[in-house]
Coordinates of all heavy atoms in Angstrom, one line a residue:
G39 N -158.7 184.1 -56.2 CA -158.7 185.1 -57.3 C -157.4 185.9 -57.3 O -156.3 185.3 -57.3
G40 N -157.5 187.2 -57.3 CA -156.3 188.1 -57.5 C -155.5 188.3 -56.3 O -154.5 189.1 -56.4
G41 N -155.8 187.8 -55.2 CA -155.0 187.9 -54.0 C -155.6 188.6 -52.7 O -154.9 188.6 -51.7
S42 N -156.8 189.0 -52.8 CA -157.5 189.5 -51.6 C -157.4 188.5 -50.4 O -157.2 189.0 -49.3 CB -158.9 190.0 -51.9 OG -159.8 188.8 -52.0
N46 N -156.0 189.5 -46.6 CA -156.8 189.5 -45.4 C -156.6 188.3 -44.5 O -157.3 188.2 -43.5 CB -158.3 189.7 -45.8 CG -158.8 188.6 -46.7 OD1 -158.2 187.5 -46.7 ND2 -159.9 188.9 -47.4
I69 N -157.8 183.7 -60.6 CA -159.1 183.6 -61.3 C -159.7 185.0 -61.2 O -159.8 185.7 -60.2 CB -160.1 182.6 -60.5 CG1 -159.4 181.2 -60.6 CG2 -161.4 182.6 -61.2 CD1 -160.2 180.2 -59.9
S71 N -162.3 188.3 -62.2 CA -163.7 188.6 -62.2 C -164.2 188.4 -63.6 O -163.4 188.7 -64.5 CB -164.0 190.1 -61.8 OG -163.9 190.3 -60.4
N72 N -165.4 187.8 -63.8 CA -165.9 187.4 -65.1 C -164.9 186.3 -65.6 O -164.1 186.6 -66.6 CB -165.9 188.6 -66.1 CG -166.8 189.7 -65.6 OD1 -167.8 189.5 -64.9 ND2 -166.5 190.9 -65.9
P73 N -164.8 185.2 -65.0 CA -163.8 184.1 -65.3 C -163.9 183.7 -66.7 O -165.1 183.5 -67.3 CB -164.1 183.0 -64.3 CG -165.5 183.2 -63.9 CD -165.7 184.7 -64.0
G98 N -165.4 185.0 -54.4 CA -166.8 185.4 -54.7 C -167.3 184.5 -55.8 O -166.7 183.4 -56.2
G99 N -168.3 185.0 -56.5 CA -168.9 184.3 -57.6 C -168.0 183.9 -58.7 O -168.1 182.8 -59.3
S100 N -167.0 184.6 -59.0 CA -166.1 184.3 -60.1 C -165.2 183.1 -59.8 O -165.2 182.2 -60.6 CB -165.1 185.5 -60.4 OG -165.9 186.6 -60.8
D103 N -167.7 180.0 -59.5 CA -168.2 179.6 -60.8 C -167.1 178.8 -61.6 O -167.3 177.8 -62.2 CB -168.6 180.7 -61.7 CG -170.1 181.1 -61.4 OD1 -170.7 180.5 -60.5 OD2 -170.6 182.1 -62.1
K106 N -166.6 175.3 -60.6 CA -167.7 174.3 -61.0 C -167.3 173.7 -62.3 O -167.6 172.5 -62.5 CB -169.0 175.1 -61.2 CG -169.6 175.6 -59.9 CD -170.9 176.4 -60.2 CE -171.4 177.1 -59.0 NZ -172.4 178.1 -59.3
T140 N -166.2 184.5 -49.8 CA -165.5 185.7 -49.2 C -166.2 187.0 -49.8 O -165.9 188.1 -49.3 CB -164.0 185.7 -49.6 OG1 -163.8 186.0 -51.0 CG2 -163.3 184.5 -49.2
A141 N -167.0 186.9 -50.8 CA -167.7 188.0 -51.3 C -169.2 187.5 -51.7 O -169.3 186.6 -52.4 CB -167.1 188.6 -52.6
T144 N -173.8 186.8 -55.6 CA -174.2 186.0 -56.7 C -175.0 184.8 -56.2 O -175.9 184.3 -56.9 CB -173.0 185.4 -57.5 OG1 -172.3 184.6 -56.7 CG2 -172.2 186.5 -58.1
A146 N -173.8 182.0 -56.0 CA -173.2 180.9 -56.8 C -172.9 179.7 -56.0 O -172.9 178.6 -56.6 CB -172.0 181.5 -57.5
N149 N -175.8 177.0 -56.3 CA -176.3 176.4 -57.5 C -175.3 175.8 -58.4 O -174.1 175.9 -58.1 CB -177.2 177.6 -58.2 CG -176.3 178.7 -58.7 OD1 -175.3 178.4 -59.4 ND2 -176.6 179.9 -58.3
G151 N -175.0 176.5 -61.8 CA -174.7 177.2 -63.0 C -173.4 178.0 -62.8 O -173.1 178.5 -61.8
A152 N -172.7 178.1 -63.9 CA -171.5 178.9 -63.8 C -171.5 179.8 -65.0 O -171.7 179.5 -66.1 CB -170.2 178.0 -63.9
V153 N -171.2 181.1 -64.7 CA -171.2 182.1 -65.8 C -169.8 182.3 -66.3 O -169.0 182.8 -65.5 CB -171.9 183.4 -65.4 CG1 -172.0 184.4 -66.5 CG2 -173.2 183.2 -64.8
K162 N -170.7 185.5 -72.9 CA -170.6 185.2 -71.5 C -171.9 184.4 -71.2 O -173.0 185.0 -71.2 CB -170.6 186.5 -70.7 CG -170.3 186.3 -69.2 CD -170.2 187.6 -68.4 CE -170.1 187.3 -67.0 NZ -170.2 188.4 -66.1
Y179 N -165.6 186.7 -42.9 CA -164.7 186.6 -44.1 C -165.0 187.7 -45.1 O -164.3 187.8 -46.1 CB -164.9 185.3 -44.7 CG -164.0 184.2 -44.1 CD1 -163.3 184.4 -42.9 CD2 -164.0 182.9 -44.6 CE1 -162.5 183.4 -42.4 CE2 -163.2 181.8 -44.0 CZ -162.5 182.2 -42.9 OH -161.7 181.2 -42.3
T180 N -166.2 188.3 -45.0 CA -166.6 189.3 -46.0 C -166.3 190.8 -45.6 O -166.6 191.7 -46.3 CB -168.1 189.2 -46.4 OG1 -168.8 189.7 -45.3 CG2 -168.5 187.8 -46.7
T182 N -163.7 192.5 -45.3 CA -162.8 193.3 -46.1 C -163.2 193.6 -47.5 O -162.5 194.2 -48.3 CB -161.4 192.6 -46.2 OG1 -161.6 191.3 -46.7 CG2 -160.7 192.6 -44.8
M183 N -164.4 193.1 -47.9 CA -164.9 193.4 -49.2 C -165.0 194.9 -49.5 O -165.5 195.6 -48.6 CB -166.4 192.9 -49.4 CG -166.6 191.5 -49.8 SD -168.4 191.1 -49.6 CE -169.0 191.7 -51.2
P184 N -164.5 195.4 -50.6 CA -164.6 196.8 -50.9 C -166.1 197.2 -50.9 O -167.0 196.4 -51.4 CB -164.1 197.0 -52.3 CG -163.3 195.8 -52.6 CD -163.8 194.7 -51.7
Q187 N -168.1 196.7 -53.9 CA -168.5 195.3 -54.2 C -169.7 194.8 -53.3 O -170.5 194.1 -53.8 CB -167.2 194.3 -54.0 CG -167.5 192.9 -54.4 CD -167.9 192.7 -55.9 OE1 -167.4 193.5 -56.8 NE2 -168.7 191.8 -56.2
D194 N -177.0 192.8 -57.2 CA -177.1 191.5 -58.0 C -178.1 190.6 -57.3 O -179.0 190.0 -58.0 CB -175.7 190.9 -58.1 CG -175.7 189.6 -59.0 OD1 -176.6 189.5 -59.8 OD2 -174.8 188.8 -58.8
H198 N -181.6 189.2 -58.8 CA -182.0 187.8 -58.9 C -183.4 187.5 -58.4 O -184.2 186.8 -58.9 CB -181.1 186.9 -58.1 CG -179.7 186.9 -58.7 ND1 -178.6 186.5 -57.9 CD2 -179.2 187.1 -59.9 CE1 -177.5 186.7 -58.7 NE2 -177.9 187.0 -59.9
E252 N -180.6 182.8 -55.0 CA -180.2 182.0 -56.2 C -180.0 180.5 -55.8 O -179.3 179.8 -56.6 CB -178.8 182.5 -56.7 CG -178.9 183.5 -57.9 CD -179.6 182.8 -59.1 OE1 -179.0 181.9 -59.8 OE2 -180.8 183.1 -59.4
H267 N -180.5 189.9 -67.0 CA -179.3 189.2 -66.8 C -178.6 188.8 -68.2 O -177.4 188.9 -68.4 CB -179.4 188.0 -66.0 CG -179.1 188.2 -64.5 ND1 -179.8 189.0 -63.7 CD2 -178.0 187.8 -63.8 CE1 -179.2 189.1 -62.5 NE2 -178.2 188.4 -62.5
H271 N -175.0 190.1 -69.2 CA -173.9 189.1 -69.5 C -173.2 189.4 -70.8 O -172.0 189.3 -70.9 CB -174.4 187.6 -69.5 CG -174.7 187.1 -68.1 ND1 -175.5 186.0 -67.8 CD2 -174.4 187.6 -66.9 CE1 -175.5 185.8 -66.5 NE2 -174.9 186.8 -65.9
H281 N -170.6 193.1 -62.9 CA -171.9 192.5 -63.1 C -173.1 193.3 -62.4 O -174.0 193.7 -63.1 CB -171.9 191.0 -62.6 CG -173.2 190.3 -62.7 ND1 -173.9 190.1 -63.8 CD2 -174.0 189.7 -61.7 CE1 -175.0 189.4 -63.6 NE2 -175.1 189.2 -62.3
Ligands
LIG1 O1 -159.9 188.5 -56.9 P1 -159.7 189.0 -55.6 O2 -158.4 189.6 -55.3 O3 -160.1 187.9 -54.6 O4 -160.7 190.2 -55.3 C1 -162.1 190.0 -55.5 C2 -162.6 190.7 -56.8 O5 -161.8 191.7 -57.2 C3 -162.8 190.8 -54.4 N1 -163.0 190.1 -53.2 C4 -163.7 189.0 -53.0 N2 -163.7 188.7 -51.6 C5 -163.1 189.7 -51.0 C6 -162.6 190.6 -52.0 N3 -161.9 191.7 -51.7 C7 -161.6 192.0 -50.4 N4 -162.0 191.1 -49.4 C8 -162.8 190.0 -49.7 N5 -163.2 189.2 -48.7 O6 -164.1 191.1 -54.9 C9 -163.9 191.3 -56.3 C10 -165.2 190.7 -57.1 O7 -165.2 189.3 -56.9 P2 -166.1 188.5 -57.9 O8 -166.0 187.0 -57.4 O9 -165.7 188.7 -59.3 O10 -167.6 189.1 -57.7 P3 -168.9 188.5 -57.7 O11 -169.1 187.6 -56.4 O12 -169.9 189.6 -57.9 O13 -169.0 187.4 -58.9 C11 -169.2 187.9 -60.2 C12 -169.3 186.8 -61.2 O14 -170.4 185.9 -60.9 C13 -171.3 185.8 -62.0 C14 -171.1 187.1 -62.7 O15 -171.5 187.1 -64.0 C15 -169.6 187.3 -62.6 O16 -168.9 186.6 -63.6 N6 -172.6 185.3 -61.6 C16 -172.8 184.1 -61.2 C17 -174.0 183.6 -60.8 C18 -174.2 182.2 -60.4 N7 -173.3 181.3 -60.7 O17 -175.3 181.9 -59.8 C19 -175.2 184.4 -60.9 C20 -174.9 185.8 -61.2 O18 -176.1 186.3 -61.9 C21 -173.7 186.2 -61.9 O19 -173.9 186.2 -63.3

Side-chain angles (χ1 to χ4, degrees):
S42 70
N46 59 23
I69 299 177
S71 282
N72 305 326
S100 297
D103 275 2
K106 287 175 192 168
T140 69
T144 64
N149 64 55
V153 185
K162 186 177 177 190
Y179 277 4
T180 71
T182 54
M183 273 172 84
Q187 185 61 35
D194 184 23
H198 295 156
E252 261 301 285
H267 263 70
H271 283 166
H281 177 59

